[in-house]
Coordinates of all heavy atoms in Angstrom, one line a residue:
A1 N -53.3 13.7 -6.2 CA -54.6 13.2 -6.7 C -54.5 11.6 -6.9 O -55.7 11.2 -6.9 CB -54.7 14.0 -8.0
R2 N -53.5 11.0 -7.1 CA -53.5 9.7 -7.5 C -53.8 8.8 -6.3 O -53.8 9.2 -5.1 CB -52.2 9.1 -7.9 CG -51.7 9.9 -9.3 CD -52.7 9.7 -10.5 NE -52.2 10.2 -11.7 CZ -52.4 11.3 -12.1 NH1 -53.3 12.1 -11.5 NH2 -51.9 11.7 -13.3
T3 N -54.2 7.5 -6.5 CA -54.4 6.6 -5.4 C -53.2 6.5 -4.6 O -52.1 6.3 -5.2 CB -54.8 5.2 -6.1 OG1 -55.9 5.3 -6.8 CG2 -55.0 4.2 -4.9
P4 N -53.2 6.5 -3.3 CA -52.1 6.4 -2.4 C -51.2 5.1 -2.8 O -51.8 4.1 -2.9 CB -52.5 6.3 -1.0 CG -53.9 7.1 -1.1 CD -54.5 6.7 -2.5
G5 N -50.0 5.3 -2.8 CA -49.2 4.1 -3.1 C -48.7 3.8 -4.5 O -47.8 3.2 -4.7
V6 N -49.5 4.6 -5.4 CA -49.0 4.4 -6.8 C -47.8 5.2 -7.1 O -47.8 6.5 -7.0 CB -50.2 4.8 -7.8 CG1 -49.6 4.8 -9.2 CG2 -51.3 4.0 -7.6
P7 N -46.6 4.6 -7.3 CA -45.4 5.5 -7.5 C -45.4 6.4 -8.7 O -46.1 6.1 -9.7 CB -44.3 4.5 -7.7 CG -44.9 3.1 -7.1 CD -46.3 3.3 -7.5
Q8 N -44.6 7.6 -8.5 CA -44.6 8.5 -9.6 C -43.0 8.4 -10.0 O -42.3 8.6 -9.1 CB -45.0 9.9 -9.3 CG -46.3 10.1 -8.8 CD -47.4 9.7 -9.9 OE1 -47.2 10.2 -11.0 NE2 -48.4 8.9 -9.7
A9 N -42.7 8.1 -11.2 CA -41.4 7.9 -11.7 C -41.0 9.1 -12.6 O -41.6 9.4 -13.6 CB -41.2 6.7 -12.7
I10 N -39.9 9.9 -12.0 CA -39.1 10.9 -12.8 C -38.3 10.3 -13.7 O -37.2 9.7 -13.1 CB -38.5 11.9 -11.8 CG1 -39.5 12.4 -10.7 CG2 -37.8 13.0 -12.5 CD1 -38.9 13.4 -9.7
T11 N -38.6 10.3 -15.0 CA -37.7 9.8 -15.9 C -36.9 10.8 -16.8 O -37.5 12.0 -16.8 CB -38.5 8.9 -16.9 OG1 -39.4 9.7 -17.8 CG2 -39.3 7.8 -16.2
G12 N -35.8 10.5 -17.5 CA -35.1 11.3 -18.2 C -33.7 11.1 -18.5 O -33.2 10.2 -17.9
L13 N -33.1 11.9 -19.3 CA -31.7 11.6 -19.8 C -30.7 11.7 -18.5 O -30.9 12.4 -17.6 CB -31.3 12.7 -20.9 CG -30.0 12.7 -21.5 CD1 -30.1 11.4 -22.4 CD2 -29.7 14.0 -22.3
A14 N -29.5 11.0 -18.7 CA -28.5 11.1 -17.6 C -28.1 12.5 -17.5 O -27.9 13.2 -18.6 CB -27.5 10.2 -18.0
G15 N -28.0 13.1 -16.3 CA -27.5 14.4 -16.3 C -28.6 15.6 -16.3 O -28.3 16.7 -16.2
V16 N -29.8 15.1 -16.5 CA -30.9 16.1 -16.7 C -31.5 16.7 -15.5 O -32.2 17.6 -15.4 CB -32.1 15.5 -17.5 CG1 -33.0 14.7 -16.6 CG2 -32.9 16.6 -18.3
G17 N -31.0 16.1 -14.3 CA -31.4 16.7 -12.9 C -32.5 16.0 -12.2 O -33.1 16.6 -11.3
K18 N -32.6 14.8 -12.5 CA -33.8 14.0 -11.9 C -33.6 13.9 -10.3 O -34.5 14.3 -9.6 CB -33.8 12.5 -12.5 CG -34.1 12.5 -13.9 CD -34.1 11.1 -14.4 CE -32.8 10.3 -14.3 NZ -31.7 10.9 -15.2
T19 N -32.5 13.5 -9.9 CA -32.2 13.5 -8.5 C -32.3 14.8 -7.7 O -33.1 15.0 -6.7 CB -30.8 12.9 -8.1 OG1 -30.7 11.5 -8.5 CG2 -30.4 13.0 -6.7
Q20 N -31.7 15.9 -8.4 CA -31.8 17.2 -7.7 C -33.3 17.7 -7.7 O -33.8 18.4 -6.7 CB -30.9 18.2 -8.4 CG -29.4 17.8 -8.2 CD -28.9 17.7 -6.8 OE1 -29.4 18.5 -5.9 NE2 -28.2 16.7 -6.5
T21 N -34.1 17.5 -8.7 CA -35.4 17.9 -8.8 C -36.3 17.2 -7.7 O -37.0 17.8 -7.1 CB -36.0 17.7 -10.0 OG1 -35.3 18.3 -11.2 CG2 -37.5 18.0 -10.2
A22 N -36.0 15.9 -7.4 CA -36.7 15.1 -6.5 C -36.4 15.6 -5.1 O -37.3 15.7 -4.2 CB -36.4 13.5 -6.7
L23 N -35.0 15.9 -4.9 CA -34.6 16.4 -3.7 C -35.2 17.7 -3.4 O -35.5 18.0 -2.2 CB -33.1 16.5 -3.8 CG -32.3 16.8 -2.4 CD1 -32.7 15.9 -1.3 CD2 -30.8 16.9 -2.6
E24 N -35.3 18.6 -4.2 CA -35.9 19.9 -4.0 C -37.3 19.8 -3.7 O -37.9 20.4 -2.8 CB -35.8 20.9 -5.3 CG -36.4 22.2 -5.2 CD -35.6 23.0 -4.2 OE1 -34.5 22.7 -3.8 OE2 -36.2 24.1 -3.8
Y25 N -38.1 18.9 -4.4 CA -39.5 18.7 -4.2 C -39.6 18.2 -2.7 O -40.5 18.6 -2.0 CB -39.9 17.6 -5.1 CG -41.4 17.2 -4.7 CD1 -42.5 17.9 -5.3 CD2 -41.7 16.1 -3.9 CE1 -43.8 17.7 -4.9 CE2 -42.8 15.8 -3.5 CZ -43.9 16.5 -4.0 OH -45.3 16.1 -3.6
V26 N -38.8 17.3 -2.2 CA -38.9 16.6 -0.9 C -38.7 17.8 0.1 O -39.5 17.9 1.0 CB -37.8 15.5 -0.8 CG1 -37.6 15.4 0.7 CG2 -38.3 14.3 -1.4
H27 N -37.8 18.6 0.0 CA -37.5 19.7 0.9 C -38.6 20.7 0.8 O -38.9 21.3 2.0 CB -36.2 20.6 0.6 CG -35.0 19.7 1.1 ND1 -34.5 19.8 2.5 CD2 -34.2 18.7 0.5 CE1 -33.5 19.0 2.5 NE2 -33.3 18.3 1.4
R28 N -39.2 21.1 -0.3 CA -40.2 22.0 -0.3 C -41.6 21.6 0.3 O -42.2 22.4 1.0 CB -40.5 22.5 -1.7 CG -39.3 23.3 -2.3 CD -39.8 24.0 -3.6 NE -38.7 24.6 -4.2 CZ -38.9 25.4 -5.3 NH1 -40.1 25.6 -5.8 NH2 -37.8 26.0 -5.9
W29 N -41.9 20.3 0.1 CA -43.2 19.8 0.6 C -43.1 18.9 1.7 O -43.9 18.1 2.2 CB -43.8 19.0 -0.6 CG -44.7 20.0 -1.5 CD1 -46.0 20.4 -1.2 CD2 -44.3 20.5 -2.6 NE1 -46.4 21.2 -2.2 CE2 -45.3 21.4 -3.2 CE3 -43.1 20.5 -3.4 CZ2 -45.3 22.1 -4.2 CZ3 -43.1 21.3 -4.6 CH2 -44.2 22.1 -5.0

């Protein structure tokens, strides 16, 4: 929905799974 090129930042505590969530998102879509 956002304007193309506006980054979306996944933020959160160390160890909360930010990288793995981003990775799963990439593979699914």
Side-chain angles (χ1 to χ4, degrees):
R2 301 292 188 268
T3 303
V6 176
Q8 300 296 312
I10 302 175
T11 67
L13 189 70
V16 81
K18 300 180 294 294
T19 294
Q20 294 304 317
T21 301
L23 186 60
E24 180 67 16
Y25 174 85
V26 164
H27 280 274
R28 290 196 189 185
W29 274 276

